[in-house]
Amino acid sequence: NAGVTQTPKFRVLKTGQSMTLLCAQDMNHEYMYWYRQDPGMGLRLIHYSVGEGTTAKGEVPDGYNVSRLKKQNFLLGLESAAPSQTSVYFCASEGAGANVLTFGAGSRLTVL
Amino acid sequence: AQSVTQLGSHVSVSEGALVLLRCNYSSSVPPYLFWYVQYPNQGLQLLLKYTSAATLVKGINGFEAEFKKSETSFHLTKPSAHMSDAAEYFCAVRLSGNTPLVFGKGTRLSVIA
């Protein structure tokens, strides 16, 4: 089925560990986004990409890095996880000019 | 800077009653406006969007929203609530087609039988 796939769906980390969240889309979309969702805070943009090889900072980029080496993949990295990064992370993709974001099912990350 | 404010973090209505979820935006130019819905343990999906065409926008599942420039509002309504409408609803704004969406904090809708 066409869509946005996030892996892993769940992960528990210890403070200071590193990890990478993978987002893959098979719709040939140009734009990809990483958001985090926290209770009472809505969705906040971490980083985004408007095309292969490009990335840009969003509202809350500190502590995260991203890469878009292939058009269909957008990776979100945590180099040294902190408890404040406990959250649900959502990836979304969008075709240029479409004005419709397609979201993945989310990745729940807990940092102890 | 663009932003949206959703009034009420939690709204509770009876089944069959009117649903009204409020959203006000802040933007220096007419923006694009959206409503997304999130069912439990799922990602968000688009309900409807305003992109400078008709000011009354109809979406899926019987929802609609009206863009009112004078009030800087984009409230979401549905005449008759169903139990299946229980979810979290997010209003979002963007200035142009290639800028990221900015989401509100969300409103959780509960429907009481």
Side-chain angles (χ1 to χ4, degrees):
Chain A
N1 292 334
V4 176
T5 302
Q6 294 182 227
T7 52
K9 290 183 170 52
F10 302 94
R11 184 74 187 271
V12 178
L13 288 177
K14 294 181 179 178
T15 297
Q17 286 185 318
S18 64
M19 75 158 296
T20 300
L21 297 176
L22 170 63
C23 177
Q25 53 95 1
D26 57 5
M27 298 168 285
N28 201 35
H29 285 172
E30 288 294 329
Y31 306 153
M32 296 187 75
Y33 309 89
W34 275 108
Y35 288 91
R36 61 177 287 174
Q37 183 178 24
D38 302 290
M41 301 296 290
L43 273 77
R44 293 180 292 169
L45 183 65
I46 305 171
H47 287 280
Y48 65 101
S49 169
V50 298
E52 181 178 318
T54 73
T55 62
K57 294 180 180 180
E59 179 186 358
V60 289
D62 293 343
Y64 305 95
N65 57 75
V66 288
S67 64
R68 183 109 182 260
L69 298 179
K70 294 182 178 181
K71 186 177 184 179
Q72 64 267 36
N73 295 337
F74 195 31
L75 279 64
L76 177 71
L78 286 71
E79 291 186 348
S80 179
S84 60
Q85 294 177 303
T86 293
S87 188
V88 180
Y89 292 85
F90 285 98
C91 177
S93 70
E94 180 185 23
N99 273 312
V100 178
L101 269 63
T102 301
F103 281 83
S107 296
R108 183 176 294 274
L109 175 65
T110 301
V111 183
L112 303 176
Chain B
Q2 54 188 326
S3 65
V4 288
T5 300
Q6 293 185 239
L7 301 176
S9 59
H10 183 209
V11 170
S12 185
V13 301
S14 298
E15 192 173 20
L18 171 73
V19 175
L20 171 61
L21 303 182
R22 300 178 186 271
C23 174
N24 287 88
Y25 68 90
S26 171
S27 174
S28 57
V29 297
Y32 298 165
L33 292 159
F34 308 81
W35 277 100
Y36 279 79
V37 60
Q38 182 182 33
Y39 298 104
N41 299 314
Q42 295 185 25
L44 282 70
Q45 57 183 278
L46 181 69
L47 264 183
L48 49 81
K49 62 181 177 180
Y50 167 76
T51 56
S52 74
T55 56
L56 182 61
V57 181
K58 295 187 183 298
I60 62 172
N61 300 337
F63 284 92
E64 63 181 37
E66 186 172 7
F67 172 66
K68 292 187 176 180
K69 185 178 178 181
S70 61
E71 299 177 7
T72 61
S73 69
F74 190 57
H75 301 331
L76 181 71
T77 61
K78 181 174 180 177
S80 177
H82 295 176
M83 297 297 290
S84 59
D85 294 327
E88 188 147 22
Y89 292 80
F90 292 92
C91 184
V93 64
R94 79 190 322 174
L95 281 181
S96 63
N98 61 357
T99 58
L101 266 68
V102 175
F103 286 87
K105 294 185 177 182
T107 297
R108 183 163 61 91
L109 176 67
S110 297
V111 182
I112 304 168

